[in-house]
Amino acid sequence: MQRVGDSLPVKWTLIVLALVLTALVLVVPLIEIVRQALAGGVGELLDNLTNTYTLSAIWLTLLIAVITVPLNVLFGTVLAWLVTRFRFLGRRLLQTLIDIPFAVSPVIAGLVYLLLYGRNGWLGQWLAGYDIQLMFAWPGMVLVTLFVTSPFVARELIPLMQAQGRQEEEAAVSLGARGAQLFYRITLPNIRSGLIYGAILTNARAMGEFGAVSVVSGMINGVTISLPLQVEQLYQDYNTVGSFVSALLLAMLAVLTLVIKGLLEWLAERRQQRHSKVAEDV
Amino acid sequence: MKKASLFTVSRLHGLAPLALALALGGAVVPAAQADTTLTNASFDVARELFAALNKPFIAEWDKQHQDHLVIKQTHAGSSTQARSIIQGLNADVVTFNQTSDIDVIAHAGLIDSNWQQRLPEHSSPFYSTMAFLVRKGNPKHLTSWQDLAEQGVELVFPNPKTSGNGRYTYLGAWASQSALNHNDEANTEAFMRRFLANAVVLDSGGRGATTSFIERGQGDALITFESEARSLAKQYGDKYEVVVPKVDVIAEMPVAWVDASVRKNNSEALAKDYLNYLYTPQAQTIIADHFYRVRNEQVAKQIAGRFPDTHLLNISDVFGSWDSILSTHFASGGKLDQLQRQ
């Protein structure tokens, strides 16, 4: 009997096609980034890597990610929980609203924040009374990144939690589990993979965001320039090597994120195995 | 017991990065405030110029004061910078390549409207003109604006609607033809039609136009500021040469302190010192080394020969105020739109 996956020519055509596409779309551009970063030799690469502006861009990029990811993991989990476990008026509307940051162009998002929190915006004027300036400073960049990356976790969790239903949780409650216990022992283990994936997406976007942050950054060298902005600025400035060194740094941060993701998944899997082993022993 | 420990550990895991971020973020703010700072909002290709200019100024200031001076540079298209400052970018001084962009800030009430009278030379310590970057040997013999409108010549310059270089390119071509035909406007418009039709690409900014010309090999000439053409010729070695036409327009690089910011930052004296420093022989020499033409006669004499003799026309003499230039030529439905229609 013929089964799917039996046909050798189809199998090999697909494999070759996948390899060629991966090479063209993924590998060649990555190699080109490395090649361009090394175009001036290792010395120039190191100079570009260790100058104060690059170091501050790395620092700012990490700061944005380190604030954005936990806040949006928290926000996304609460939202997904609310939407999938409770029935209330406006639930559908809320589910649509979650997607707004996906639907809106990041530049528009940045602009709206600028018009609200800028010198002439009513929120900006109110904050200026307390001598607080969010725009053209790092808090503004964090704010727009929070907005742009807010749907990732919720969008990962909602389908997952909908598919799982609430039987397990109801069973736990009937056995006497309290709120926090319920969350950490039942809900969290079930959504762990979606949570990790959502956090990875949030992190990647937070570190790579260009459009929204470029509007509110003010481009102050060594102060409000994150790595993606630095790539653009050095390129505009005819410093191609510097630009590609920053691009390489961004790529390496992305790889690091993926490594962390792999590590977390491996740890989670191991814990799961240990738990089921304990369960069997009992 | 086991339950409790699981609970606390996972909770800490979640909060640790946030706590770290807040701690680190908090640590950065006071450190930056210990120094005296001056923020200079400047145009996009002036990064290296101001890095070189700031170094001696900071050294001199530090010698005379207890604390350390930090000059924060911000670079972007000068129209973008003007909009950012109006929205609250706290820049003490602006050093632009477009007079009209400082006017925009002045209209918003943040800079005194007589700013051009506050410093010498219409508040423009240095200037440039337009030049053609052509391929080695100048195979199409392009030496004047008129040559550029000949049939079969392909031009690369950025869109006059979105970029300063593009605007000066348009105005340079117009002014030189106008000088040639003694202000025969019909003749100038016919010339401008041919000139604009020779453009093979109109990128949105100067950097894009350079990429089209150098990396994609499009066009016979790239039209841009002389300073930029020269630094490109220097960077790309012997593949290109720079042509400056005999009759050209002056592109003034205006500077001003931002009254609203210096009042708030209490930095008026420092901002004025900094801008006046740009007129000193020391600063003018650095500026000339970056291929801009300078005002100081002593320095100009020392570097005579580095810049070809050119008859430079004043934009305001030929066209009037920038406000009227923008509305007559570059606004929607203005002269540029009409001339581009075939």
Side-chain angles (χ1 to χ4, degrees):
Chain A
M1 202 175 78
Q2 275 267 304
R3 279 188 308 186
V4 177
D6 273 357
S7 163
L8 271 184
V10 171
K11 179 179 162 190
W12 283 104
T13 315
L14 285 179
I15 289 179
V16 169
L17 207 65
L19 283 180
V20 169
L21 275 179
T22 314
L24 283 180
V25 176
L26 214 64
V27 181
V28 172
L30 269 176
I31 292 175
E32 182 62 13
I33 291 179
V34 177
R35 200 181 67 86
Q36 293 278 6
L38 280 167
V42 178
E44 204 177 327
L45 181 133
L46 286 178
D47 281 350
N48 275 298
L49 208 59
T50 53
N51 86 43
T52 39
Y53 291 141
T54 306
L55 293 179
S56 99
I58 296 172
W59 153 244
L60 179 61
T61 307
L62 292 177
L63 178 75
I64 291 173
V66 133
I67 298 177
T68 307
V69 174
L71 283 181
N72 269 340
V73 164
L74 192 73
F75 170 77
T77 312
V78 169
L79 212 60
W81 175 281
L82 186 66
V83 166
T84 57
R85 295 294 181 262
F86 297 88
R87 313 251 144 224
F88 54 92
L89 196 72
R91 197 177 67 97
R92 286 284 161 114
L93 184 70
L94 185 63
Q95 264 183 297
T96 315
L97 285 178
I98 295 173
D99 282 336
I100 282 186
F102 276 166
V104 172
S105 156
V107 180
I108 306 290
L111 214 56
V112 168
Y113 273 78
L114 189 56
L115 293 179
L116 262 181
Y117 290 93
R119 196 201 300 267
N120 303 321
W122 60 272
L123 272 169
Q125 276 170 359
W126 179 72
L127 285 171
Y130 299 92
D131 212 18
I132 296 171
Q133 185 177 357
L134 295 181
M135 295 296 111
F136 310 112
W138 68 264
M141 297 172 76
V142 169
L143 205 63
V144 294
T145 310
L146 272 173
F147 174 82
V148 169
T149 60
S150 58
F152 285 102
V153 172
R155 271 281 149 242
E156 278 303 314
L157 291 187
I158 289 171
L160 193 67
M161 290 174 80
Q162 254 159 2
Q164 280 168 352
R166 38 185 163 177
Q167 289 92 331
E168 284 189 34
E169 283 163 8
E170 275 163 1
V173 171
S174 71
L175 290 174
R178 270 161 306 177
Q181 229 178 359
L182 173 73
F183 182 74
Y184 283 105
R185 308 221 56 178
I186 307 294
T187 313
L188 191 59
N190 279 336
I191 63 171
R192 187 175 278 126
S193 65
L195 207 55
I196 292 175
Y197 195 60
I200 295 300
L201 286 178
T202 307
N203 185 59
R205 185 61 187 272
M207 292 197 298
E209 176 55 29
F210 177 84
V213 293
S214 79
V215 178
V216 301
S217 140
M219 295 284 187
I220 307 169
N221 287 351
V223 185
T224 60
I225 295 195
S226 60
L227 278 173
L229 298 181
Q230 168 134 321
V231 171
E232 160 80 359
Q233 178 153 70
L234 293 180
Y235 176 73
Q236 293 287 350
D237 218 41
Y238 298 106
N239 179 355
T240 316
V241 171
S243 169
F244 276 94
V245 168
S246 303
L248 185 63
L249 274 171
L250 261 179
M252 279 161 46
L253 281 178
V255 171
L256 189 71
T257 312
L258 290 179
V259 169
I260 293 174
K261 174 191 169 227
L263 205 68
L264 283 176
E265 278 177 346
W266 178 72
L267 282 175
E269 217 166 280
R270 233 177 45 155
R271 194 184 303 172
Q272 202 96 45
Q273 277 167 2
R274 214 182 308 137
H275 274 254
S276 46
K277 198 157 168 265
V278 171
E280 272 167 33
D281 289 350
V282 171
Chain B
M1 272 313 281
K2 205 177 158 212
K3 274 178 207 164
S5 75
L6 190 80
F7 178 49
T8 35
V9 167
S10 15
R11 188 171 61 175
L12 279 181
H13 269 305
L15 291 180
L18 182 64
L20 179 78
L22 293 178
L24 293 175
V28 152
V29 176
Q33 281 170 346
D35 301 317
T36 300
T37 60
L38 181 82
T39 304
N40 175 11
S42 192
F43 55 101
D44 35 16
V45 290
R47 195 175 158 112
E48 277 173 37
L49 170 65
F50 280 98
L53 279 170
N54 290 347
K55 211 179 272 176
F57 184 80
I58 292 171
E60 188 57 35
W61 200 92
D62 284 359
K63 229 185 282 169
Q64 293 172 8
H65 296 80
Q66 294 284 318
D67 57 343
H68 176 58
L69 173 65
V70 174
I71 299 181
K72 294 183 189 162
Q73 286 292 140
T74 119
H75 296 281
S78 60
S79 308
T80 308
Q81 295 286 45
R83 274 196 302 272
S84 294
I85 288 168
I86 291 169
Q87 286 297 342
L89 175 62
N90 191 14
D92 301 283
V93 298
V94 290
T95 51
F96 284 178
N97 57 359
Q98 294 281 307
T99 306
S100 53
D101 288 324
I102 299 192
D103 284 337
V104 168
I105 306 175
H107 287 323
L110 305 176
I111 292 180
D112 199 309
S113 58
N114 77 340
W115 64 270
Q116 277 194 301
Q117 277 79 56
R118 300 191 305 193
L119 288 163
E121 311 277 1
H122 323 104
S123 291
S124 141
F126 55 105
Y127 60 101
S128 191
T129 182
M130 300 311 288
F132 319 145
L133 190 70
V134 296
R135 302 189 192 281
K136 190 77 199 171
N138 198 358
K140 295 222 169 164
H141 310 291
L142 308 171
T143 57
S144 69
W145 288 102
Q146 283 63 41
D147 294 340
L148 299 187
E150 292 297 322
Q151 209 160 30
V153 177
E154 296 190 332
L155 305 177
V156 176
F157 56 90
N159 193 335
K161 290 220 171 191
T162 54
S163 92
N165 316 15
R167 252 173 247 167
Y168 276 107
T169 298
Y170 173 98
L171 297 173
W174 181 294
S176 80
Q177 182 70 13
S178 194
L180 209 66
N181 62 26
H182 306 290
N183 303 321
D184 175 353
E185 189 147 339
N187 174 284
T188 305
E189 289 190 3
F191 164 80
M192 287 306 289
R193 270 182 208 282
R194 293 198 302 276
F195 178 85
L196 292 167
N198 277 354
V200 280
V201 277
L202 287 177
D203 293 285
S204 63
R207 184 62 173 100
T210 305
T211 306
S212 296
F213 183 74
I214 289 183
E215 263 128 63
R216 293 209 287 276
Q218 286 180 301
D220 302 306
L222 171 74
I223 311 171
T224 185
F225 291 116
E226 179 190 39
S227 49
E228 197 167 359
R230 282 187 191 281
S231 73
L232 282 172
K234 184 181 159 200
Q235 186 174 353
Y236 290 96
D238 45 10
K239 282 194 222 136
Y240 304 95
E241 49 191 79
V242 178
V243 176
V244 183
K246 287 270 178 291
V247 178
D248 211 337
V249 284
I250 181 168
E252 292 190 318
M253 309 286 158
V255 301
W257 64 86
V258 183
D259 295 84
S261 305
V262 297
R263 228 176 288 132
K264 184 179 158 210
N265 304 337
N266 205 10
S267 59
E268 187 166 340
L270 175 60
K272 287 179 183 170
D273 279 353
Y274 182 73
L275 294 180
N276 277 310
Y277 155 76
L278 299 178
Y279 292 86
T280 62
Q282 183 187 26
Q284 297 264 299
T285 307
I286 296 171
I287 292 168
D289 285 342
H290 286 79
F291 307 111
Y292 292 94
R293 298 184 180 216
V294 293
R295 306 287 191 180
N296 185 289
E297 283 174 18
Q298 237 176 299
V299 177
K301 213 173 281 170
Q302 277 169 14
I303 55 162
R306 259 206 252 168
F307 296 95
D309 273 335
T310 309
H311 178 56
L312 292 178
L313 301 165
N314 247 321
I315 295 279
S316 56
D317 294 345
V318 183
F319 298 96
S321 76
W322 272 103
D323 279 344
S324 78
I325 293 173
L326 294 181
S327 58
T328 317
H329 291 273
F330 302 117
S332 247
K335 278 259 153 45
L336 173 66
D337 283 346
Q338 295 164 25
L339 295 170
Q340 275 179 319
R341 233 173 278 139
Q342 291 301 313

